[in-house]
Amino acid sequence: MTFFNEIKTYIGFGPHEAEVLAELRAHLAPRFPEFAEHFYQVILTHARAAAAITGGPAQVARLEASLESWMESGLAGPHDEVFYERRARIGRIHVVIGLPQEFMFTAMNVMRMDFHGAIDRLTDATHSAIVRRDAIDKLFDLELAIMLRYYQRDSEAVVAQRERRVLSDRLAAMQALAAGLAHEVRNPLNAAKLQLELLERRLRRTVTDERLIEPATLVQHEIARLTELLNELLDFARPARLTAVEHDLVSIARHVIELERPSAVNRGASLELEASTDRVLAWVDAGRIHQIILNLVKNAVEAVRHDGHVVVRVATAIDGGAAITVSDDGGGIPPEVLARIYEPFFSTKEAGTGLGMPIVHSLVELHNGQITVATGEHGTEFTVTLPPRAPEPDVVMRESVARDADV
């Protein structure tokens, strides 16, 4: 059931109400200009509401004419999905111009009262005033439900945008810290590695007891592990450039799956690719998209149990962009962990660095995309959406926080 039909059912708006409204139209149409003028008189008496109308009397005249047309179509119907789409566009316009919803709703109530007053003065006995007012009330309730839906969507978008901005600022600060730390650590780490290699070669020339060489070999392994961690830190600290050309996302995802399938097999899990078409083209940096999918797939494979399933889906998005979804049927992400998944250095894994998901978030933002997550006891699904507009090749999308040549 669509949203509009669900609301009609809830309100109790049906063919009978539509018939009553159509009958009322002939009686009330001559008063539409009066109702429209009164509506905007109420709007303009409040400074915050009037601030949304910046075109002066000429704009008010146009708005009044539109409102008359709105009243005409509201009573005439038909009250179908086409009607809903027209009303939805009006709701979006009120959101775009910034009309506070409290004033819209109170002004709409003024119009409701104007309609009630006009109905009470009718002497026609075709319908009782109560039946007519009831039909009008249900129509206005429909209208308000549609408008509220778009004010709610706007509020949700504002909150989501604010949360993304806070997260981006936090990541930028952590990237600056990571860049400085990498700068301080890499040079002495490289020096230690070179000196250790020199020491190990000398030991091998002068001693025959392997037990004396084992400590040097162990330290070499630990330095290699630290180097790998440092490289991850650098990946997080300086995703500064995006070289975007047209690539097939299905091909990139297939390559990642082939790389990670052995890991899935070792866990007794399946790893599959689903695509809406053979090719899904998008303007992206292939290496960075590869890293995004790889990190998400690694996490998903580690989240499932034996006989678990991980699925990578690639599809063209509704707006002409693209969507990459990685889902698993593991146990889900606990709420206290979900709130921190993009927080640098936070990890629930014993040997985790806590940089995988922050890197994913940074790379998605680098593409002007978005990442969302849905999780529960039956699994987790990450969705990366990429916009249809192609970034310019080799354009600096964000100033690097790690410009220093030593980093």
Side-chain angles (χ1 to χ4, degrees):
M1 181 180 292
T2 66
F3 167 80
F4 186 52
N5 284 332
E6 184 178 19
I7 293 299
K8 285 170 65 177
T9 300
Y10 181 77
I11 291 173
F13 186 97
H16 173 68
E17 284 72 25
E19 179 184 326
V20 173
L21 293 176
E23 181 269 333
L24 269 175
R25 175 185 167 205
H27 295 288
L28 300 182
R31 302 196 62 182
F32 287 167
E34 173 191 337
F35 295 161
E37 182 180 3
H38 188 205
F39 180 88
Y40 282 101
Q41 282 177 349
V42 173
I43 289 287
L44 294 172
T45 55
H46 298 276
R48 280 203 300 130
I53 302 174
T54 58
Q59 183 185 10
V60 172
R62 291 194 302 272
L63 290 170
E64 288 178 357
S66 297
L67 186 56
E68 291 176 37
S69 175
W70 177 84
M71 288 184 274
E72 170 75 19
S73 61
L75 269 62
H79 305 89
D80 53 15
E81 290 299 323
V82 176
F83 174 88
Y84 168 73
E85 287 299 326
R86 288 199 302 266
R87 282 347 199 213
R89 286 195 293 272
I90 295 171
R92 285 193 290 267
I93 290 171
H94 286 132
V95 171
V96 169
I97 67 174
L99 180 64
Q101 62 181 0
E102 60 268 28
F103 293 114
M104 170 52 65
F105 292 166
T106 52
M108 286 278 284
N109 196 52
V110 169
M111 183 176 290
R112 188 195 299 258
M113 294 301 100
D114 283 344
F115 270 81
H116 281 190
I119 289 170
D120 289 341
R121 287 192 290 273
L122 289 176
T123 57
D124 186 279
T126 307
H127 293 89
S128 71
I130 293 176
V131 171
R132 286 167 165 166
R133 284 199 302 267
D134 182 64
I136 286 292
D137 284 341
K138 290 179 179 179
L139 174 65
F140 275 78
D141 288 344
L142 279 178
E143 303 281 8
L144 288 172
I146 295 170
M147 290 185 186
L148 180 60
R149 179 176 175 83
Y150 282 91
Y151 276 106
Q152 179 182 356
R153 286 185 174 182
D154 179 63
S155 298
E156 291 171 351
V158 169
V159 170
Q161 185 178 22
R162 185 183 301 121
E163 290 177 347
R164 287 195 298 270
R165 187 166 55 247
V166 169
L167 179 58
S168 295
D169 291 344
R170 186 184 304 162
L171 287 175
M174 295 302 297
Q175 284 172 322
L177 174 63
L181 180 62
H183 173 74
E184 293 298 324
V185 169
R186 195 176 69 170
N187 288 339
L189 187 64
N190 285 340
K193 181 180 179 181
L194 290 173
Q195 292 299 320
L196 189 61
E197 288 174 352
L198 179 60
L199 175 61
E200 188 174 3
R201 285 198 297 269
R202 289 177 178 174
L203 284 172
R204 290 190 182 279
R205 287 198 303 265
T206 58
V207 302
T208 57
D209 190 346
E210 283 292 327
R211 289 176 299 176
L212 297 176
I213 302 175
E214 283 178 4
T217 303
L218 177 62
V219 175
Q220 284 278 25
H221 289 159
E222 291 303 304
I223 288 180
R225 192 171 68 85
L226 285 173
T227 301
E228 184 178 346
L229 173 60
L230 184 63
N231 289 336
E232 257 196 280
L233 199 61
L234 289 172
D235 285 339
F236 168 68
R238 58 179 187 190
R241 284 189 174 273
L242 184 73
T243 304
V245 296
E246 196 173 45
H247 285 283
D248 176 21
L249 298 180
V250 176
S251 177
I252 297 173
R254 185 178 292 114
H255 185 228
V256 172
I257 286 174
E258 291 306 314
L259 287 175
E260 287 301 304
R261 183 165 279 126
S263 297
V265 171
N266 286 340
R267 295 181 67 88
S270 66
L271 174 57
E272 303 299 334
L273 171 65
E274 294 180 3
S276 59
T277 58
D278 291 338
R279 303 179 74 203
V280 176
L281 300 178
W283 285 80
V284 296
D285 185 313
R288 298 188 185 280
I289 293 297
H290 184 281
Q291 187 172 5
I292 290 170
I293 301 175
L294 181 63
N295 285 8
L296 292 176
V297 168
K298 281 180 176 290
N299 286 347
V301 169
E302 292 175 0
V304 297
R305 305 176 184 89
H306 186 77
D307 290 334
H309 302 85
V310 176
V311 179
V312 180
R313 298 181 180 88
V314 182
T316 301
I318 296 175
D319 64 356
I324 303 167
T325 302
V326 179
S327 61
D328 66 68
D329 57 2
I333 304 174
E336 64 275 11
V337 175
L338 183 63
R340 303 181 64 185
I341 57 173
Y342 301 121
E343 182 179 315
F345 311 112
F346 171 77
S347 177
T348 58
K349 302 171 187 176
E350 186 176 344
T353 62
L355 291 173
M357 289 309 298
I359 289 172
V360 166
H361 186 276
S362 296
L363 296 181
V364 171
E365 280 208 331
L366 197 61
H367 284 83
N368 293 329
Q370 292 185 17
I371 181 168
T372 57
V373 56
T375 188
E377 61 181 10
H378 300 299
T380 300
E381 180 175 277
F382 282 93
T383 300
V384 174
T385 53
L386 302 169
R389 185 174 62 83
E392 293 293 331
D394 293 319
V395 169
V396 176
M397 301 293 290
R398 175 173 49 198
E399 287 298 323
S400 174
V401 295
R403 290 286 191 171
D404 195 304
D406 288 332
V407 176

Coordinates of all heavy atoms in Angstrom, one line a residue, residues 43 50 65 105 137 139 145 184 197 261 284 291 296 361 399:
I43 N -0.5 34.7 7.0 CA 1.0 34.4 6.9 C 1.8 35.7 7.1 O 2.8 35.7 7.8 CB 1.3 33.8 5.5 CG1 0.7 32.4 5.4 CG2 2.8 33.8 5.2 CD1 1.4 31.3 6.2
A50 N 6.5 35.6 7.2 CA 6.6 36.5 6.0 C 8.0 36.5 5.4 O 8.2 36.8 4.2 CB 6.2 37.9 6.5
A65 N -3.1 33.1 -6.5 CA -3.6 32.5 -7.7 C -3.4 31.0 -7.7 O -4.2 30.1 -8.0 CB -3.0 33.1 -9.0
F105 N 0.8 25.2 9.2 CA -0.3 24.5 9.8 C -1.4 25.4 10.4 O -2.6 25.1 10.3 CB 0.2 23.5 10.9 CG 1.1 22.4 10.3 CD1 1.9 21.6 11.1 CD2 1.1 22.2 8.9 CE1 2.7 20.6 10.6 CE2 1.9 21.1 8.4 CZ 2.6 20.4 9.2
D137 N -12.8 18.4 6.4 CA -11.8 18.1 7.4 C -10.9 17.0 6.9 O -9.7 17.0 7.1 CB -12.5 17.8 8.7 CG -13.0 19.0 9.4 OD1 -12.6 20.1 9.1 OD2 -13.9 18.8 10.3
L139 N -10.2 16.1 3.8 CA -9.4 16.6 2.8 C -8.2 17.4 3.3 O -7.0 17.2 2.9 CB -10.2 17.5 1.8 CG -9.3 18.2 0.7 CD1 -8.7 17.2 -0.2 CD2 -10.2 19.3 0.0
A145 N -1.1 15.9 6.1 CA -0.2 14.7 6.2 C 0.9 14.7 5.2 O 2.0 14.4 5.4 CB -1.1 13.5 6.1
E184 N 56.6 11.3 12.7 CA 57.6 11.1 13.8 C 58.1 9.6 13.9 O 59.2 9.4 14.3 CB 56.9 11.5 15.1 CG 56.6 13.0 15.2 CD 57.9 13.8 15.2 OE1 59.0 13.4 15.7 OE2 57.9 14.9 14.6
E197 N 68.9 -5.1 10.0 CA 69.3 -5.9 8.8 C 70.9 -6.0 8.8 O 71.4 -7.1 8.5 CB 68.8 -5.3 7.5 CG 67.3 -5.4 7.4 CD 66.8 -4.7 6.2 OE1 67.6 -3.9 5.6 OE2 65.6 -4.9 5.8
R261 N 37.6 -14.6 -1.6 CA 36.9 -15.9 -1.5 C 37.6 -16.9 -0.7 O 37.0 -17.7 0.1 CB 36.5 -16.4 -2.9 CG 35.7 -17.7 -2.9 CD 35.1 -18.0 -4.2 NE 33.8 -17.2 -4.4 CZ 33.6 -16.5 -5.4 NH1 34.5 -16.3 -6.4 NH2 32.4 -15.9 -5.5
V284 N 34.8 7.0 -11.1 CA 35.4 6.8 -9.8 C 36.9 6.6 -9.9 O 37.4 6.4 -11.0 CB 34.8 5.5 -9.1 CG1 33.3 5.7 -8.8 CG2 35.0 4.3 -10.0
Q291 N 39.5 -0.4 -2.6 CA 39.8 -0.5 -1.1 C 38.5 -0.4 -0.3 O 38.4 -1.1 0.7 CB 40.7 0.7 -0.8 CG 41.2 0.6 0.7 CD 42.3 1.6 0.9 OE1 42.6 2.5 0.1 NE2 42.9 1.6 2.1
L296 N 35.1 -3.5 3.4 CA 33.7 -3.9 3.8 C 33.5 -5.4 3.7 O 32.9 -6.0 4.6 CB 32.7 -3.2 2.9 CG 32.5 -1.7 3.1 CD1 31.5 -1.1 2.1 CD2 32.1 -1.3 4.5
H361 N 35.1 5.5 5.2 CA 34.3 6.7 5.3 C 35.0 7.9 4.5 O 34.3 8.6 3.8 CB 34.1 7.1 6.7 CG 33.2 8.3 6.9 ND1 33.6 9.6 6.9 CD2 31.8 8.3 7.2 CE1 32.6 10.4 7.1 NE2 31.5 9.6 7.2
E399 N 42.0 19.2 0.7 CA 43.4 19.5 1.0 C 44.0 18.4 1.9 O 43.4 18.0 2.9 CB 43.5 20.8 1.7 CG 43.3 22.0 0.7 CD 44.3 22.0 -0.4 OE1 45.5 21.7 -0.1 OE2 44.0 22.4 -1.5

